[in-house]
Amino acid sequence: MRNAAVVFLLCAAAPPLWAQGTAPPGPVTTPPRVTLSLADALSRARVNSPAYRQALNDAGPARWAVRNAYGQLLPTVDVGSSFGYTGAGESQFGGAVFRQTSPSLTSGYGIQLGMTLSGSVLTGPATERANQRAVTADIENAARMLDNDVTSQYLSVLQATAQTVVARQQVERNQEFLELAQTRQRVGQATLLDVRQAEVTLGQSRVDLLRAQQTEAEAKLELFRRIGTELPAPLAEIALSDSFPVVPPAFDLANLLDLAESENPTLLASRARERAAEVSVTAAKSQYLPSLSLSAAWNGFTQEFTNTGLLVDQATGTARTQASNCSFQNALIRALPGGTVPGFPNGGLVPDCNAFAGLNATGEALLPENRQALIDRNNVWPFDYASQPFRASVVVSVPIFAGFGRNLQVARANAAQEDAEESVRAIRLAVRSEVQGRHLALLTAHEAIGVQDANQRAAREQLALARERFRLGNGSSLEVADAQAATARAEADYVNAVYAYHKAIAALEFAVGRPLR
């Protein structure tokens, strides 16, 4: 007893080894600068997760698909305009030769209205609305998968952090054991073998601490990868703020199964796809209905000859021919008996054939007002359109035979609907099985916590007895090392059991489709 008292006093008075030049038991940790709660992690993931954002991108096309389906029930409107140039020369069309003596500029406009009503057009809005609901269900399923993914990794970070604490405690225990062995060796109560055994045990625990810290760092990196953001601060300055109590599970399995039937996102998404497949069958069968096409058009056209001199010359030549014919008719009338035609003004004679044809007094050129009117009528390009007659048509088409194409599409739609029904049934069975399995796993995990807690307490008592025996000289260093290793394993197993329980709850929540705590 006297020797034991001496050893105890020496141990109490001896300074810690890190003050004598030995490495400290663990790195000095930086106080966390950034704390992250689970709610914050989930909200950030909804904004930044690449996989979830890809799912969100499907919502826009689905909305426009519905609008496009309704738009097919409205007439289409096309407005067009054209401008052209045609050079002088000959052209052939339909065996006839057309000669254009002057180049010309052309322009035109057209307004067309069109509308087609068929079975596929009429069923289009219902089909696209069903597809949009399916896309919305897929997005909700992706959101629940993201929440489960982030929650699971959040728990993994907490688990890794707790394992780091266990490893650091083990280093501190082994440091104290080494100090005790060195003190007893100096007073002759222990051998150098005991000191070396304590040093080996301390070194192994330090390696375990480094590995635990590495695992914690990798878990944090993986958490922010799943969130979809870069690290907001160095790893040592990031801490998770949430903690989760362990309470006995009191979930009713029948109630959980009912909740899963109505809220499991995967099951809801498959049912939405089933409804979309049912609408697709109706749309495929609508191809047997007749179709109605309506169209209407307004058009205008201009043509302006660029060589106005040639145009005037042609008009002058035509006028001269008309004046010559007028003079010839006057000569014929004068040759009649009496030189007139009774009953006609002026006896049927034209007083001035040049003026009648629009020529000047000499008959060499057009009258100035006629020449200007001709030029004004030609000056129409580009917007002085001459309207064309209005056109409208109605076409009714009744499909008779289309090479069994409609039969093929109906058969494919029916097969897709049957596949969707079987998919819903398979997913429903899988969900019910998963809920029951997750519930059983939760109960098992909770029982395991109690067992591991008892093991942890027993291992700590074993370690205390082994260290006391070694301090009093009745035990060996190997006995203490084994007890410390058993304690570390028991503490680590307890941490794993606690977070296995929390992960089991998260998995059950994902299977049910809603939070349960």
Side-chain angles (χ1 to χ4, degrees):
M1 292 296 296
R2 185 167 54 252
N3 291 339
V6 172
V7 171
F8 176 78
L9 291 174
L10 289 174
C11 291
L17 291 184
W18 59 268
Q20 303 174 13
T22 307
V28 178
T29 58
T30 304
R33 216 164 37 89
V34 177
T35 57
L36 180 69
S37 66
L38 178 58
D40 190 19
L42 294 177
S43 62
R44 290 187 185 186
R46 291 290 184 97
V47 176
N48 299 292
S49 171
Y52 182 63
R53 290 173 65 88
Q54 289 176 0
L56 284 178
N57 289 337
D58 296 336
R63 288 194 300 270
W64 280 109
V66 174
R67 296 172 184 171
N68 178 69
Y70 280 107
Q72 298 299 315
L73 300 175
L74 302 175
T76 60
V77 180
D78 295 326
V79 178
S81 180
S82 64
F83 301 90
Y85 171 81
T86 304
E90 294 182 352
S91 59
Q92 294 185 359
F93 181 77
V97 178
F98 298 89
R99 178 174 178 79
Q100 182 166 306
T101 57
S102 172
S104 63
L105 298 174
T106 59
S107 63
Y109 74 90
I111 302 175
Q112 289 81 33
L113 298 181
M115 183 175 182
T116 300
L117 297 177
S118 63
S120 59
V121 172
L122 295 176
T123 58
T127 301
E128 295 303 335
R129 286 198 307 269
N131 290 333
Q132 184 185 25
R133 288 191 291 268
V135 170
T136 302
D138 289 339
I139 292 175
E140 180 61 26
N141 186 30
R144 291 296 302 153
M145 292 179 64
L146 175 64
D147 291 347
N148 178 70
D149 199 27
V150 173
T151 301
S152 177
Q153 188 60 30
Y154 193 93
L155 293 172
S156 295
V157 175
L158 291 177
Q159 181 179 2
T161 302
Q163 293 289 11
T164 301
V165 173
V166 170
R168 185 174 288 110
Q169 291 175 349
Q170 185 65 9
V171 170
E172 294 172 355
R173 291 193 189 103
N174 289 331
Q175 182 71 40
E176 294 173 357
F177 174 51
L178 176 59
E179 294 172 1
L180 177 61
Q182 290 174 336
T183 302
R184 296 189 73 249
Q185 192 264 341
R186 283 196 296 270
V187 298
Q189 298 297 321
T191 65
L192 184 60
L193 179 63
D194 295 325
V195 175
R196 294 293 181 262
Q197 177 64 43
E199 290 175 348
V200 171
T201 304
L202 176 60
Q204 291 176 343
S205 62
R206 285 175 175 170
V207 171
D208 292 339
L209 175 59
L210 292 175
R211 290 173 177 170
Q213 291 172 338
Q214 175 67 19
T215 301
E216 180 183 1
E218 291 177 352
K220 290 179 179 179
L221 290 171
E222 178 63 16
L223 174 61
F224 281 94
R225 184 197 69 80
R226 297 186 183 187
I227 292 175
T229 60
E230 299 286 345
L231 291 175
L235 286 172
E237 300 178 8
I238 299 175
L240 306 187
S241 59
D242 283 9
S243 60
F244 301 89
V246 176
V247 295
F251 303 118
D252 180 67
L253 180 58
N255 186 35
L256 293 176
L257 292 173
D258 292 339
L259 287 175
E261 286 278 352
S262 60
E263 299 195 29
N264 181 272
T266 304
L267 183 57
L268 295 179
S270 65
R271 286 173 176 165
R273 291 295 176 189
E274 180 187 14
R275 289 191 291 270
E278 293 174 356
V279 177
S280 296
V281 173
T282 303
K285 292 179 179 179
S286 67
Q287 298 183 51
Y288 289 95
L289 299 176
S291 61
L292 175 66
S293 298
L294 308 174
S295 65
W298 292 265
N299 295 279
F301 181 79
T302 69
Q303 184 177 28
E304 177 179 324
F305 293 98
T306 59
N307 191 343
T308 56
L310 180 59
L311 185 64
V312 170
D313 291 342
Q314 291 177 345
T316 302
T318 302
R320 287 174 178 173
T321 302
Q322 187 177 2
S324 176
N325 290 334
C326 176
S327 299
F328 177 73
Q329 291 178 2
N330 282 344
L332 291 177
I333 293 173
R334 290 189 181 98
L336 294 174
T340 60
V341 179
F344 283 86
N346 297 323
L349 295 174
V350 177
D352 188 351
C353 286
N354 287 336
F356 173 75
L359 296 172
N360 56 14
T362 61
E364 296 178 353
L366 294 175
L367 293 172
E369 59 271 20
N370 291 351
R371 184 178 184 277
Q372 187 61 43
L374 177 63
I375 294 175
D376 291 342
R377 286 195 303 271
N378 181 65
N379 187 21
V380 295
W381 192 87
F383 300 120
D384 192 4
Y385 298 109
S387 298
Q388 303 298 309
F390 170 74
R391 294 181 291 112
S393 65
V394 178
V395 178
V396 178
S397 176
V398 179
I400 302 300
F401 179 72
F404 303 107
R406 292 170 297 180
N407 305 72
L408 175 60
Q409 294 187 19
V410 171
R412 287 176 174 172
N414 286 325
Q417 179 187 5
E418 294 174 359
D419 291 344
E421 291 175 354
E422 294 300 325
S423 177
V424 169
R425 192 168 70 89
I427 293 176
R428 179 178 178 274
L429 292 173
V431 167
R432 292 182 65 85
S433 176
E434 185 177 9
V435 169
Q436 296 179 65
R438 298 301 183 186
H439 182 258
L440 180 60
L442 177 62
L443 298 178
T444 303
H446 184 263
E447 293 181 2
I449 291 176
V451 175
Q452 294 297 344
D453 185 40
N455 292 342
Q456 178 180 241
R457 290 195 301 269
R460 287 173 178 172
E461 292 176 2
Q462 178 187 3
L463 174 60
L465 293 174
R467 294 186 66 175
E468 183 66 17
R469 281 171 51 81
F470 179 75
R471 188 178 65 82
L472 296 175
N474 296 326
S476 66
S477 58
L478 290 175
E479 183 180 339
V480 177
D482 291 342
Q484 291 194 141
T487 301
R489 287 193 301 270
E491 291 175 343
D493 290 342
Y494 176 76
V495 169
N496 291 336
V498 169
Y499 285 97
Y501 166 80
H502 293 312
K503 290 181 179 180
I505 293 181
L508 180 60
E509 290 176 337
F510 177 68
V512 171
R514 58 170 294 179
L516 299 175
R517 56 180 176 177

